[in-house]
Each structure stands twice: as C-alpha cells, then as structure tokens.
C-alpha cells in the first residue's frame, strides 16, 4: 500500500499543565504533561519536535523572587542613595512600575529621563503628529515636565489609559523621594542633572553605558546590574539582573529565570527515554514582533529564549518556493513543477547566504522565530497552556 503524502506542515499546540509553584519538579511536570496530551489527543511525538515552556513557570519553580526592599538596598549600595538619574525606562505597570518603587526607596531624589515620543519598545508618550506640529526635534531637544505639558498636555496610553508621566511621578513621591522629570533621547542629557546614573533601557544598554562613562558620569549601572546577586537571600539573575522581571505582588517581583540549560537538557533526555524521539526543548519569554496599530514591539525581555538545546542554534536555511516557481521553473507546472522544486530543496546547501532563491526568507534566529510562535500560542492571559509543542517546524516541501 502506497504511503500517503502528509498534508499538514507546522502545528503549534498549547499544552495544559498544573499551576506551577516554587520547588516543583518542572522537568517531570512538563514531560508528563506533553506525554499525557499526546495520549489524550491521539498524536505522536516525532524527532525534532520542539517543546517550549514559558520563562514564567521556570522562574516560579526556581523561586526566583525579590522584594522592593531588596531592590532599594541594592540601588542604595551601588548608586549612593542621593540623587540618581534614572533614564530610558519602558512605560509599563507590569514591568517597570514596581522596579521604580524599589529604586525610589533607595535614593533621596530621582531625576527621571523619559525617551520621547515613545519608549524603547514603542509605548507612545506623545504622537508624532503632535511632535511635528510643535516643531520639536526629539533627537536633540530636552524638555522639562512643564514644557512637555505646555506643548502636549495630558497624553494617556492608548491601551492602558494611563498618563505615565503622572503615574511615575506619583510612584517616586509616594516612596518619599523627590521627583524631577525630563524628556530627552541623548544619554548625555542626564549629566546636567546627575552623575550617578541608572540606565533602564533593555536592548541598547551597552551603548548607553559606554556613552555615559565616556562623557564623565561617576557611576553608571543598568537594570542588569541590580539584583545580579542575592540580597539577603533574595532571588537574582547573575546575567540580567532586573531585566525581564515582572510584577508578582505590590511588593514583590518575579525575576527572569536563572541558568536553565540543565532543565531543557533534562526534559530532552526524559522524552528520549519515554518515546525514543529526539526532541528540542527551549524556554521562551516575549516574542519578537511589532503590533501594527499600537506600534509596540513585544520584546521587553532581554532575549526571547534564555535557554535551549543545541539543535535550536542558528537561523533557517530555506528556499523561497514562490521565487523558484516564478523564476527558475516558470515554464513548468503540475507534477513537473513539484518534482523540480522538490529536487532543488533536496540539493540545497547548508549556507544559502547570497542565494537569490532564498531572498524573502526570514533571517532571524530559530529561537526568536519559534519563541514568537509559542508566545502567540500560549498568550499571556488565562489559557492555562504555559507549555507549547511545535511539530513539523523543520519540515519542508519534500517531507
């Protein structure tokens, strides 16, 4: 009997799991949940399937939490506890507001410098149309809070309805610190107000630190330098510090998970023993994509994936089917076209850089692409599927 051709390519499945608590055996829970889902839903695991889990359940299982008091103690120790310039934070109740509380508790005065018209990940303080109408050059102009209000008034976030200028001021002053707010996009602008600086940008932090130190700042820290070691027994992240943290309660944050390569390798080995299949495993946080309406770039974590098995290293190595169909084999159709394209795929090399037939394929890391797919599959709300199984991702037209 002739084997039927597969008609389905990539499949992404959200896997329901128990609620994860501190100290849980996450490797066992994830493995069992995937195997139980396969049995219940009637599918089989295959080689090169990808099992992904959210960074949140990893950090929770690790117990990687800290309090605002822990943040305050570390900020005071590293930045002196007097006047501190806090620059380029993102506008977020979940991500930054609780960090700001801890920062403000550890200093006497915060000079908060906000980038405009939007923050690093696209949350808008003021529209570009208003910027144009005011004749302001955001690259060079430094605005005081009074001047910002005079030009632009009150601007509430499109989705949250929050006036982040007032909100961040209220947090600082509510912690007993003095607050001064300015708006600028050049890191050096803060040095007219403070020489002890905490830079809160995520993906541009290395450049910002370099510029500030070269310009004469006395002390420069990033969020990745705060809670990069335990404070009085708190959680920490030696590589990312406060980056990637989320609000847990009004007084506690969940940090980005610590070293978790052993976890992904453990799950890979458990699946191999249980099924004989060699799967790939990764931890993922935010996906890396941009919302066309709100202009918000999703990636507020320092990376999409903090840990993954070695089979997920690299970028896709793909040919563009429509290019082959419209160019190399434009005279063919039907079965002849299918055979010609299939043969091109089978014969493709390991490196297609510069090959015209690969133009338009996505030149991104596999973990960024798969992590984005998983983030969209699991969502950030109440779906209850913190583990995602991706099958057929490495298939192609010949599979």
């Amino acid at each position: 009997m002739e084997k039927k051709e597969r008609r389905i390519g990539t499949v992404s499945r959200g896997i329901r799991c128990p609620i994860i608590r501190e100290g849980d055996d996450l490797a066992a829970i994830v493995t069992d949940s995937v195997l139980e889902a396969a049995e219940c839903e009637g599918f089989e695991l295959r080689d090169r399937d990808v099992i992904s889990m959210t960074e949140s359940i990893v950090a929770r299982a690790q117990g990687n939490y800290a309090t605002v008091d822990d943040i305050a103690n570390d900020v005071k120790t590293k930045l002196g506890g007097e006047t501190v310039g806090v620059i380029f934070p993102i506008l977020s109740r979940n991500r930054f507001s609780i960090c700001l509380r801890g920062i403000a508790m550890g200093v006497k005065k915060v000079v908060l410098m906000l980038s405009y018209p939007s923050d690093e990940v696209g949350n808008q303080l003021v529209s570009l149309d208003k910027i144009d109408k005011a004749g302001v050059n955001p690259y060079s102009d430094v605005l005081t809070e009074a001047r910002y209000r005079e030009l632009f008034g009150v601007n509430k976030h499109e989705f949250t309805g929050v006036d982040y200028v007032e909100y961040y001021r209220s947090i600082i002053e509510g912690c007993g610190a003095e607050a001064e707010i300015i708006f600028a996009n050049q890191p050096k602008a803060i040095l007219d107000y403070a020489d002890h600086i905490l830079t809160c940008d995520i993906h541009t932090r290395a450049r910002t630190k370099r510029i500030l130190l070269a310009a004469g700042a006395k002390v420069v820290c990033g969020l990745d330098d705060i809670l990069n070691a335990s404070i009085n027994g708190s959680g920490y992240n030696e590589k990312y510090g406060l980056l990637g943290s989320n609000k847990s309660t009004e007084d506690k944050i969940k940090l980005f998970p610590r070293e978790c390569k052993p976890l992904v390798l453990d799950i890979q080995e458990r699946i191999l023993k249980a099924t004989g299949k060699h799967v790939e495993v990764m931890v993922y946080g935010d996906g890396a994509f941009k919302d066309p309406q709100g202009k918000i770039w999703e990636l507020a974590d320092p990376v999409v994936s903090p840990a993954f098995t070695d089979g997920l290293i690299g970028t896709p190595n793909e040919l563009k089917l429509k290019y082959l169909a419209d160019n190399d084999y434009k005279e063919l159709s039907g079965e002849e076209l299918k055979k010609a394209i299939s043969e091109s795929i089978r014969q493709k090399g390991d490196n297609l850089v510069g090959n015209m037939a690969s133009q338009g394929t996505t030149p991104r890391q596999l973990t960024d692409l798969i992590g984005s797919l998983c983030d969209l599959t699991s969502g950030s709300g109440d779906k209850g599927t913190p583990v995602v199984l991706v099958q057929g991702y490495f298939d192609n037209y010949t599979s």
Side-chain angles (χ1 to χ4, degrees):
M1 183 175 171
E2 185 179 351
K3 186 178 180 181
K4 288 185 178 180
E5 182 179 352
R6 276 175 54 192
R7 294 291 181 177
I8 295 176
T10 301
V11 175
S12 178
R13 288 184 172 92
I15 306 295
R16 288 187 175 163
C17 297
I19 302 299
I20 305 301
R21 299 294 189 189
E22 181 175 349
D24 283 349
D25 185 345
L26 191 57
I29 291 172
V30 170
T31 301
D32 291 345
S33 296
V34 171
L35 294 176
E36 288 167 7
E39 182 178 2
C40 180
E41 300 297 328
F43 62 85
E44 294 183 353
L45 294 181
R46 307 188 193 112
D47 288 329
R48 298 220 76 191
D49 285 353
V50 182
I51 296 173
S52 304
M53 70 207 94
T54 64
E55 58 83 18
S56 176
I57 63 171
V58 179
R60 276 157 53 195
Q62 290 177 343
N64 205 18
Y65 294 91
T67 67
V68 290
D69 289 325
D70 297 325
I71 297 172
N73 288 336
D74 209 19
V75 166
K76 186 173 183 178
T77 298
K78 290 174 178 173
L79 288 152
E82 298 295 324
T83 297
V84 174
V86 177
I87 72 172
F88 300 155
I90 63 172
L91 308 176
S92 173
R93 295 168 299 173
N94 174 44
R95 292 282 190 173
F96 187 69
S97 64
I98 193 165
C99 293
L100 183 58
R101 276 192 64 208
I103 293 163
M105 288 166 59
V107 303
K108 291 182 178 177
K109 179 178 179 179
V110 172
V111 182
L112 183 66
M113 189 170 93
L114 301 174
S115 54
Y116 74 102
S118 61
D119 69 8
E120 180 183 6
V121 296
N123 292 293
Q124 205 170 68
L125 268 178
V126 59
S127 71
L128 282 169
D129 290 334
K130 286 186 176 182
I131 292 285
D132 293 341
K133 185 176 180 181
V136 170
N137 182 348
Y139 188 75
S140 60
D141 292 351
V142 179
L143 307 178
T144 63
E145 185 177 0
R147 182 60 173 157
Y148 167 84
R149 293 297 190 193
E150 179 186 341
L151 289 171
F152 307 120
V154 174
N155 296 274
K156 294 186 177 181
H157 191 280
E158 179 180 4
F159 297 126
T160 66
V162 173
D163 174 359
Y164 278 96
V165 177
E166 178 55 36
Y167 179 48
Y168 281 177
R169 171 177 282 280
S170 70
I171 289 174
I172 296 166
E173 292 177 341
C175 294
E178 182 183 349
E180 182 174 1
I181 301 177
I182 62 172
F183 305 81
N185 291 305
Q186 294 292 339
K188 290 186 289 187
I190 192 63
L191 297 179
D192 290 334
Y193 300 82
D195 56 14
H196 287 60
I197 314 299
L198 177 61
T199 181
C200 302
D201 45 347
I202 305 162
H203 308 293
T204 55
R205 63 189 184 276
R207 175 177 181 266
T208 301
K209 290 179 186 179
R210 172 176 55 79
I211 289 171
L212 289 169
L213 289 170
K218 288 185 179 177
V219 178
V220 178
C221 291
L223 287 181
D224 54 331
D225 300 308
I226 306 299
L227 288 187
N228 58 0
S230 181
I231 304 297
N232 299 320
S234 73
Y236 63 96
N237 189 299
E238 56 271 88
K239 187 173 183 180
Y240 296 119
L242 285 176
L243 291 177
S245 62
N246 294 91
K247 183 178 181 179
S248 177
T249 70
E250 292 303 317
D251 298 301
K252 189 166 71 170
I253 59 169
K254 177 198 66 60
L255 295 160
F256 213 47
R258 294 193 296 272
E259 173 58 46
C260 38
K261 185 67 177 276
L263 171 66
V264 298
L265 293 174
D266 188 1
I267 294 171
Q268 184 182 56
E269 181 62 25
R270 287 170 185 255
I271 293 292
L272 182 63
K273 286 181 178 178
T275 67
K277 302 300 181 183
H278 183 88
V279 301
E280 305 297 344
V281 185
M282 63 181 282
V283 177
Y284 69 95
D286 284 338
F289 45 81
K290 187 172 182 177
D291 168 46
Q293 179 179 338
K295 308 298 186 291
I296 298 169
W297 186 39
E298 174 73 6
L299 187 57
D301 286 328
V303 290
V304 172
S305 177
F308 45 88
T309 50
D310 290 349
L312 296 175
I313 296 171
T315 58
N317 189 55
E318 300 173 341
L319 296 173
K320 198 78 168 180
L321 294 190
K322 65 183 180 183
Y323 181 90
L324 293 173
D326 292 345
N327 291 272
D328 295 24
Y329 306 121
K330 62 184 177 181
E331 306 299 331
L332 302 179
S333 62
E335 191 63 26
E336 279 188 295
L337 176 60
K338 179 180 178 180
K339 287 181 178 179
I341 288 178
S342 296
E343 186 59 25
S344 291
I345 293 171
R346 278 191 286 266
Q347 297 299 323
K348 69 181 179 181
D350 292 333
N351 186 351
L352 296 174
V353 174
N355 186 322
M356 287 298 289
S358 69
Q359 66 177 337
T361 58
T362 309
R364 291 165 59 187
Q365 297 297 312
L366 289 167
T367 49
D368 293 342
L369 291 163
I370 298 170
S372 298
L373 171 61
C374 293
D375 189 25
L376 289 167
T377 301
S378 63
S380 57
D382 57 7
K383 288 185 172 63
T385 55
V387 172
V388 176
L389 173 66
V390 178
Q391 296 188 292
Y393 191 84
F394 295 100
D395 288 359
N396 59 43
Y397 189 59
T398 68
S399 299

